[in-house]
Amino acid sequence: MNKTVSQGDLLAEEGRPLYVAHKRVHPQSVRGTFRTIKWRLMVVCLGIYYLLPFVRWHRGLGAPDQAVLLDLPNRRFYFFFIELWPQELYYFTGLLVLAAMALFLMNALGGRIWCGYLCPQTAWTDLFYAVERWIEGDRRERLRAAARPMTMERAAKRVLKHAIWLMIAWWTGGAWVLYFADAQTLVRDLATFQAPAIAYIWIGILTASTYLLAGYMREQVCVYMCPWPRIQAALTDEWALNVTYKYDRGEQRCSLKKSFDLRARGERVGDCIDCNQCAAVCPTGIDIRNGAQLGCIQCGLCIDACDAVMKKVGRKTRLIGYDNDINIRRRMDGKSELFKPVRPRTIVYASLIAVVCAVMLYALLSRTLLDLSVLHDRNPVAVKLSDGSIRNGYTVRLLNKRGFDRVVAIDIDGPPEASVHVVGLDSVTVDRPMIVLARDTTTELRVLVTAPVDDKSERSMPVRFRVTDIGLGEVASATDHFVLP
Amino acid sequence: MTEHNDIDRISGRSTTGHEWDGIRELNTPLPRWWILAFYATILWAIGYWVVYPAWPLLSNYTTGALHYSTRASVVNDLAGLEKLRGEKMAVLGKASLSEIEKDPTLLALARARGKTVFADNCALCHGSGAAGAKGYPNLNDDDWLWGGSLDQILQTIQFGARSGHAEAHEGQMLAFGRDGILKIGEIVTVANYVRSLSGLATAANFDAAAGTRIFAENCAVCHGENAKGNQALGAPNLTDGIWLYGSDEATLVETISYGRAGVMPAWSGRLDPITVKALAVYVHSLGGGQ
Ligand code: SF4
Ligand code: SF4
């Protein structure tokens, strides 16, 4: 029977709990290599997140000058020098593929690196823990306080803690909406209550979710809500380096004092002195010495904690470290350690990343600011005119991705003596139709191509539409067919 | 439920008793917040049943406290759309046909409106791309029975041809054979003559002089001395390569013998003036407009 059933637990069957009450984790502060890496990454990631909306990028008159902007109403996405239109959303597909592959590659090399170091949930939870520690003290103090009745002083501290948490959460939610509108204007509007209601609603939702997830749910998000641990478990292999307790070296655990006695008598004892520091610092409240487990986000804090202990007692560090079961086996068999970062799996991930990057880069570099697409009329495909000549109709769509109006001329290279006419344009300009394309828009035209035909004409001839910017000389073209009935 | 007192040897925890290929499932209790969230969804569902239509009854259903219905919301949406459209259409209504033709925005609007209305009403006879069929004119070409200017097209759509409307186009192709005006030999001769006008091959023993004479005496009244047709009467041009009913000898003989009187309905009573206007612009822009 499970002995951890607390009084509040509902019993579905006798002795069997239907749910477990939330056990609060009080991780202890720790110093060390991985803690330092985590602090630095947190500053970089949160710094980028909070400040990016305020970075300016000059794009010319009339265009937004925010470096990163998701302009939903106008359906434009700006990312520094890149401006994406809705029909270019395949770039986002590319980004998603890249993100997935990067995640897989990270996992194949070092397990849940994402979870431990980069995941926003980890970053914010860490920040919230830091606030908690600063106000309510470290693990021991908090545990002691939790066991005692509430005092005025503690209540005041708790209010302060929640106030600061809410402020962080609010700033987080606020920063998110800044990516969807001009940041400087929006901040001013928000402060003077002029901003659209939807902005306040989103800030409210994001504030509440950050506060709940980072302040209360914490490790519960990683253990119960996040899909990545499940996917990760299925994707990982035996060579991936994970935070591992090297039981070949640690067991038999033995207290420091006893280990001296036993060693003096020549008996073999492990290096672990059973001080429980690794468990005390763990933000998800697990004991890594029980082996690899779902709850471990691989933040490496237990490595720092154990290293500190090992240094103090004069033993070799990295009793807990990035390692895998293969090496534990090999060491136990007296073989040397073996690391294989290059293996089929990592090669495949890395080359996929390279390929997708190359494709996206090529697409970006060959991207044009004047575009056209041509669609041939399907019904009727060709019309015979009274003088016996043949006319084909096309829907021509022109995209002017520049921030100013421009005049373009439409030419065709098609069947001999073919003439082109744009519906709605005066027939005076029929020789070379000129169109004004408004800035940052698409223009759809109905274009008729007429050609005299004789018996020798082919049933289907290529016709090439060419648009030329009169001012800039930019040219775009597309090919279709001219068919006879 | 059956009792499972299986205890997993390694973890020391009880199992659910489920076993697959020797792998047994630990009985891991869920966290309390998860259970509470689950109960909350159940409560939500019950609230939903009360507020929204939910349960089928024998001949009806529970309508819910809000009396929400998708039909009502569709009707609502349509009304909103109609209103939105009304504003744009009003602009179209005020502009003259030539103004619409010159303004790219209005032209696009009229074309878009015209296209949907055409598909709903006109495509049945003229085809979805307005390519026509035997007896139903192709609206993409430049040959017009009743004229191809914007105004003329509007006129034809509004009142139709031989539609019975007071202002409809009128004009008859006589039944020269049935009514005994021409004999069958003369009809064949004039049919061959008409074919020769547009450069089509004629029968070997065709008497061109007789054809010219018969045409001048009987057909030139409507189709003109030079057979170029007459839009006031809806008499087609017989010298071009476009034939409403077909250009082979047998078809021409049938046409001359029995006459033709295709009907184009009047749309002024069925469609509102703005829609008819948009339709005219659309048809004109198909490519044949003059
Ligand atoms: S076991 Fe170690 S690496 Fe895993 S979450 Fe806990 S402290 Fe981080
Ligand atoms: S911190 Fe190191 S020595 Fe202490 S219990 Fe954990 S593994 Fe053992």
Side-chain angles (χ1 to χ4, degrees):
Chain A
M1 286 298 115
N2 198 323
K3 286 203 207 70
T4 55
V5 184
S6 71
Q7 255 183 347
D9 289 348
L10 207 65
L11 302 183
E13 284 172 69
E14 211 195 340
R16 184 173 296 183
L18 184 57
Y19 64 74
V20 280
H22 181 196
K23 285 185 210 65
R24 235 196 141 117
V25 181
H26 290 283
Q28 187 183 306
S29 68
V30 61
R31 264 178 234 270
T33 324
F34 294 98
R35 183 64 269 183
T36 312
I37 294 175
K38 271 170 69 75
W39 282 133
R40 294 203 177 138
L41 276 175
M42 183 203 283
V43 170
V44 172
C45 293
L46 294 188
I48 290 174
Y49 172 69
Y50 289 132
L51 298 178
L52 198 52
F54 296 98
V55 177
R56 301 287 106 183
W57 192 267
H58 188 67
R59 293 194 179 85
L61 216 63
D65 64 349
Q66 185 159 322
V68 177
L69 179 67
L70 303 166
D71 189 353
L72 292 184
N74 297 316
R75 307 207 184 140
R76 295 285 182 274
F77 304 100
Y78 302 95
F79 192 81
F80 294 95
F81 65 96
I82 304 169
E83 178 194 329
L84 296 183
W85 285 38
Q87 53 267 64
E88 293 167 321
L89 277 183
Y90 48 76
Y91 285 107
F92 287 88
T93 315
L95 276 183
L96 289 179
V97 173
L98 274 187
M101 285 305 144
L103 208 52
F104 295 171
L105 182 60
M106 271 191 230
N107 172 41
L109 293 174
R112 285 161 72 178
I113 294 179
W114 168 260
C115 302
Y117 301 93
L118 297 165
C119 176
Q121 169 67 13
T122 303
W124 276 304
T125 307
D126 243 8
L127 191 59
F128 274 45
Y129 273 136
V131 171
E132 190 169 67
R133 216 169 273 140
W134 178 55
I135 295 172
E136 296 185 330
D138 207 350
R139 173 181 164 87
R140 214 169 306 191
E141 278 174 73
R142 290 204 305 272
L143 281 173
R144 212 184 305 134
R148 286 208 220 113
M150 191 60 128
T151 64
M152 274 306 280
E153 198 204 334
R154 261 183 60 216
K157 278 186 174 173
R158 183 161 294 184
V159 170
L160 178 65
K161 176 180 84 176
H162 285 279
I164 297 180
W165 277 3
L166 270 171
M167 264 167 58
I168 299 173
W170 168 78
W171 186 227
T172 310
W176 183 254
V177 301
L178 297 183
Y179 285 89
F180 294 85
D182 182 61
Q184 286 161 0
T185 325
L186 187 59
V187 167
R188 200 179 321 123
D189 289 352
L190 283 169
T192 53
F193 298 102
Q194 310 268 302
I198 190 78
Y200 292 101
I201 292 171
W202 270 109
I203 292 177
I205 292 173
L206 294 166
T207 303
S209 54
T210 312
Y211 175 68
L212 281 177
L213 292 186
Y216 286 93
M217 301 303 290
R218 300 179 167 183
E219 81 287 349
Q220 303 270 308
V221 174
C222 312
V223 177
Y224 294 106
M225 291 161 79
C226 179
W228 176 232
R230 278 87 191 160
I231 303 169
Q232 188 266 349
L235 278 174
T236 199
D237 67 358
E238 69 276 25
W239 289 103
L241 292 176
N242 286 312
V243 174
T244 309
Y245 166 71
K246 300 170 183 169
Y247 60 83
D248 58 313
R249 196 187 126 193
E251 302 296 311
Q252 232 5 296
R253 313 174 189 169
C254 179
S255 78
L256 192 57
K257 223 167 38 206
K258 216 166 135 204
S259 75
F260 285 132
D261 298 347
L262 289 173
R263 281 189 185 183
R265 261 187 268 145
E267 277 179 51
R268 200 204 105 72
V269 285
D271 277 347
C272 175
I273 61 166
D274 214 4
C275 64
N276 264 322
Q277 283 302 295
C278 50
V281 300
C282 178
T284 63
I286 60 167
D287 187 343
I288 192 64
R289 293 175 300 169
N290 293 341
Q293 51 205 293
L294 186 82
C296 176
I297 58 170
Q298 310 212 353
C299 60
L301 294 186
C302 51
I303 305 182
D304 284 344
C306 185
D307 278 0
V309 173
M310 288 295 116
K311 265 185 218 143
K312 214 178 286 167
V313 302
R315 289 181 184 164
K316 224 163 67 193
T317 56
R318 293 296 143 89
L319 171 55
I320 303 176
Y322 277 92
D323 203 358
N324 56 33
D325 287 348
I326 290 184
N327 278 328
I328 293 182
R329 265 291 119 239
R330 287 179 70 91
R331 283 193 301 267
M332 283 165 88
D333 296 346
K335 293 191 208 144
S336 62
E337 290 180 344
L338 185 61
F339 296 98
K340 262 174 102 176
V342 183
R343 47 188 200 275
R345 175 186 294 256
T346 53
I347 294 171
V348 168
Y349 293 150
S351 30
L352 276 175
I353 290 176
V355 167
V356 176
C357 275
V359 170
M360 281 176 70
L361 201 67
Y362 174 76
L364 263 181
L365 293 180
S366 58
R367 188 173 173 272
T368 55
L369 296 171
L370 179 66
D371 252 2
L372 88 160
S373 63
V374 177
L375 189 68
H376 196 290
D377 279 2
R378 269 178 296 177
N379 180 16
V381 289
V383 177
K384 189 176 183 193
L385 298 185
S386 51
D387 65 357
S389 58
I390 298 299
R391 179 147 74 197
N392 280 198
Y394 305 86
T395 303
V396 173
R397 192 190 280 264
L398 297 166
L399 279 70
N400 176 14
K401 296 182 188 171
R402 286 196 188 269
F404 45 82
D405 296 358
R406 58 216 294 210
V407 180
V408 296
I410 300 180
D411 302 295
I412 58 153
D413 306 321
E417 289 170 68
S419 66
V420 56
H421 172 67
V422 176
V423 171
L425 269 199
D426 273 342
S427 46
V428 186
T429 61
V430 144
D431 273 357
R432 202 184 186 208
M434 304 269 192
I435 314 279
V436 179
L437 301 183
R439 66 186 184 87
D440 203 29
T441 50
T442 54
T443 308
E444 201 176 279
L445 302 172
R446 181 166 166 74
V447 175
L448 305 171
V449 174
T450 312
V453 289
D454 54 39
D455 300 342
K456 290 191 287 292
S457 300
E458 291 176 50
R459 306 286 307 159
S460 171
M461 292 166 260
V463 50
R464 186 177 173 79
F465 291 81
R466 208 154 16 87
V467 284
T468 314
D469 183 315
I470 297 299
L472 299 174
E474 251 173 42
V475 179
S477 61
T479 307
D480 207 307
H481 288 276
F482 185 89
V483 296
L484 304 193
Chain B
M1 241 197 236
T2 45
E3 265 303 320
H4 308 292
N5 284 322
D6 287 356
I7 303 291
D8 176 53
R9 214 164 33 81
I10 293 160
S11 65
R13 301 227 313 256
S14 63
T15 74
T16 57
H18 305 157
E19 184 173 330
W20 295 271
D21 294 343
I23 299 171
R24 278 170 302 147
E25 184 185 25
L26 285 184
N27 181 13
T28 308
L30 293 159
R32 179 163 46 197
W33 62 264
W34 200 100
I35 298 275
L36 291 179
F38 177 56
Y39 290 153
T41 60
I42 295 174
L43 284 179
W44 174 271
I46 293 170
Y48 196 94
W49 295 340
V50 174
V51 173
Y52 283 101
W55 290 100
L57 305 176
L58 267 188
S59 60
N60 208 328
Y61 57 90
T62 56
T63 53
L66 286 185
H67 295 291
Y68 170 85
S69 97
T70 36
R71 179 177 291 264
S73 79
V74 166
V75 168
N76 219 351
D77 285 355
L78 281 179
L81 198 65
E82 217 39 63
K83 190 164 160 281
L84 194 75
R85 233 182 235 162
E87 291 159 12
K88 293 192 167 185
M89 288 303 141
V91 181
L92 218 52
K94 282 200 205 80
S96 74
L97 282 171
S98 59
E99 278 166 6
I100 296 174
E101 189 71 8
K102 285 205 185 69
D103 183 331
T105 328
L106 287 182
L107 180 66
L109 185 64
R111 275 176 48 79
R113 174 78 176 142
K115 189 175 175 152
T116 51
V117 179
F118 187 92
D120 285 349
N121 298 281
C122 319
L124 201 61
C125 294
H126 291 283
S128 58
K134 184 175 175 177
Y136 302 99
N138 182 345
L139 304 178
N140 294 278
D141 64 26
D142 59 346
D143 195 23
W144 295 90
L145 290 174
W146 308 98
S149 72
L150 266 171
D151 290 309
Q152 286 169 320
I153 294 173
L154 180 68
Q155 168 90 7
T156 305
I157 298 173
Q158 275 179 319
F159 309 120
R162 309 175 195 101
S163 63
H165 192 285
E167 293 176 61
H169 292 306
E170 292 298 343
Q172 289 288 333
M173 170 71 193
L174 300 178
F176 289 92
R178 190 186 61 211
D179 295 348
I181 308 170
L182 292 175
K183 296 195 187 66
I184 182 65
E186 294 172 311
I187 290 174
V188 172
T189 304
V190 83
N192 273 286
Y193 173 73
V194 168
R195 275 173 63 83
S196 74
L197 289 176
S198 53
L200 296 170
T202 51
N205 54 356
F206 159 62
D207 180 350
T212 314
R213 183 180 46 78
I214 300 168
F215 186 87
E217 284 170 6
N218 299 279
C219 318
V221 189
C222 295
H223 291 282
E225 294 292 338
N226 48 13
K228 293 279 186 201
N230 183 349
Q231 290 185 344
L233 298 167
N237 182 347
L238 303 177
T239 63
D240 62 22
I242 296 169
W243 300 86
L244 188 51
Y245 291 91
S247 61
D248 57 300
E249 195 193 87
T251 306
L252 284 173
V253 167
E254 182 186 324
T255 302
I256 300 166
S257 301
Y258 297 103
R260 299 284 186 189
V263 172
M264 158 82 180
W267 292 93
S268 61
R270 309 193 214 182
L271 301 174
D272 65 88
I274 299 175
T275 302
V276 173
K277 204 184 217 176
L279 204 46
V281 172
Y282 172 71
V283 170
H284 185 261
S285 74
L286 282 172
Q290 286 155 352

